[in-house]
Amino acid sequence: MHFVSSLASRHDQNYIPTSFLDHHKNRKYLFSPITSNKTVRMKANAGTLTNFEVLDLLNSRGASNDTTRVIAPITTLEYKVYDYLMETPACTQTLEIITNFSDQCEDFKLAKAEILNIINIRPSSTVNLASILEEPSGRGIDKKAKEGILKLVEALLPSPPIVEARGENEEEETEEGEQLATAVLR
Amino acid sequence: MFCLSELEDTVRVPPDFLKLPLEVAIKKVLQKLFLDKVLSIGLCVSIYDIKSAKGGFVLPGDGAPTYKVVFIIVVFRPFVGEVIAARFKESDSNGLRLTLGFFEDIYVPAPLIPRPNRCEPDPYNRNQMRWVWIFEEQEYIIDDSYQINFRVENISYPPVPTERGEEDAKLFAPMVITGTIDDDGLGPVSWWEGCSERNNEDDDT
């Protein structure tokens, strides 16, 4: 601790004792200063969640689309996540569906990340599957296997919700939206 | 997209929360501290559970108890290679910007938009540029009419700027996701709608 030589500098608002600054420099920050300068120990990954599991968590706390929003103990950010998830295939899934699906996926030897992607995106055609699978030809996943995976998706995972198309020209877009709906419902 | 993270932190519970049950009070303080903040592990979305809270000592000169809390939070952290459905937000000459509602800093730079493409001033929006993909003499516009599937290429956490830039044009984004739409099945959902019938052609290429 530095002893202050004059009374005037002790009362100066901008005076910071040098030792305090040094102490700060030596402390190791685990986070960027945007959160806090306390050291926080952590385990970064305690489990990956599918979109459905997060939606289920929010639902169990009382999130919903109607006017009870103000009453439920859910923050604005959580509601934004809820709104996003309700537009993805996660809103039509249940826990049994996804556990059943991941069990049956074992035959195809997919990576965990790919199974997660498939559950979250619910691909409806080979093209959608192509963006998810990494190097299918190198791993022996041929056209037959891809069709097998798609059949499994169609059989086990319910079809995604019909997302309303937005656009500048609303009349044209709603027509396309209806076509999208019929393609999905098949 | 989401995962759980276990953290341990020292939490000060303000005295006016003491009339609430301890768990509720600690949860409120944690929400204020962590929710909607970007940590090194990602964006904290929700407090999942409080595993333990020890301590409760009141430090001298302070009116509030301090607890050592071990808790689990839900973090938004996509992995590289994850395919995510997002909505179009805006575009400029550098590329596209997509949004998820709760997270808006997703950028698709121009090299990751399928080629050949062209960028033209948007006829509907004075300040924006519009990207158009030209494939087999058909033009595919990128706009906000459909969900856009993109694949995560990279996540970066730019350091907090210590000085204000002279032109504060862009708000600081603590977490930036770079995505690509340059692959089969990526890009606006409407592009690939009729493709299920052309399976043979896709497999040949």
Side-chain angles (χ1 to χ4, degrees), chain A residues 40 44 46-47 61 84 126 166, chain B residues 4-6 8 47 85 145 199:
Chain A
V40 177
R61 291 200 197 152
Y84 169 75
T126 332
R166 304 177 201 161
Chain B
L4 296 173
S5 277
E6 190 178 311
E8 184 187 331
I47 312 289
S145 43
N199 262 339

Side-chain angles (χ1 to χ4, degrees), chain B residues 55-203:
Chain B
F57 303 114
V58 180
L59 299 170
D62 195 0
T66 313
Y67 293 90
K68 210 169 193 180
V69 187
V70 178
F71 56 99
I72 305 180
I73 51 172
V74 180
V75 180
F76 167 69
R77 180 181 71 230
F79 52 88
V80 174
E82 183 168 0
V83 177
I84 301 179
R87 285 221 176 254
F88 171 85
K89 185 172 165 138
E90 61 188 12
S91 67
D92 58 11
S93 41
N94 290 331
L96 305 173
R97 184 173 174 188
L98 306 174
T99 173
L100 294 178
F102 58 93
F103 185 79
E104 301 197 329
D105 297 311
I106 302 172
Y107 294 96
V108 181
L112 294 176
I113 300 179
R115 311 234 177 132
N117 58 37
R118 73 160 196 277
C119 184
E120 59 186 18
D122 195 348
Y124 297 105
N125 232 324
R126 249 174 291 139
N127 298 332
Q128 289 200 34
M129 306 292 279
R130 189 165 69 170
W131 287 88
V132 181
W133 181 40
I134 305 158
F135 178 68
E136 286 182 358
E137 292 177 38
Q138 272 231 322
E139 295 203 338
Y140 298 94
I141 305 174
I142 302 178
D143 61 7
D144 62 353
S145 43
Y146 285 98
Q147 283 192 331
I148 298 183
N149 283 343
F150 75 96
R151 189 170 56 221
V152 177
E153 286 290 310
N154 178 38
I155 312 176
S156 69
Y157 302 90
V160 186
T162 41
E163 291 173 2
R164 269 183 85 101
E166 281 168 11
E167 300 160 9
D168 227 11
K170 257 189 182 175
L171 290 174
F172 168 66
M175 179 169 159
V176 174
I177 296 182
T178 315
T180 175
I181 53 172
D182 189 11
D183 201 357
D184 292 337
L186 301 178
V189 175
S190 56
W191 287 4
W192 307 101
E193 260 312 296
C195 265
S196 44
E197 294 129 20
R198 296 202 296 168
N199 262 339
N200 293 333
E201 286 180 46
D202 282 345
D203 279 354

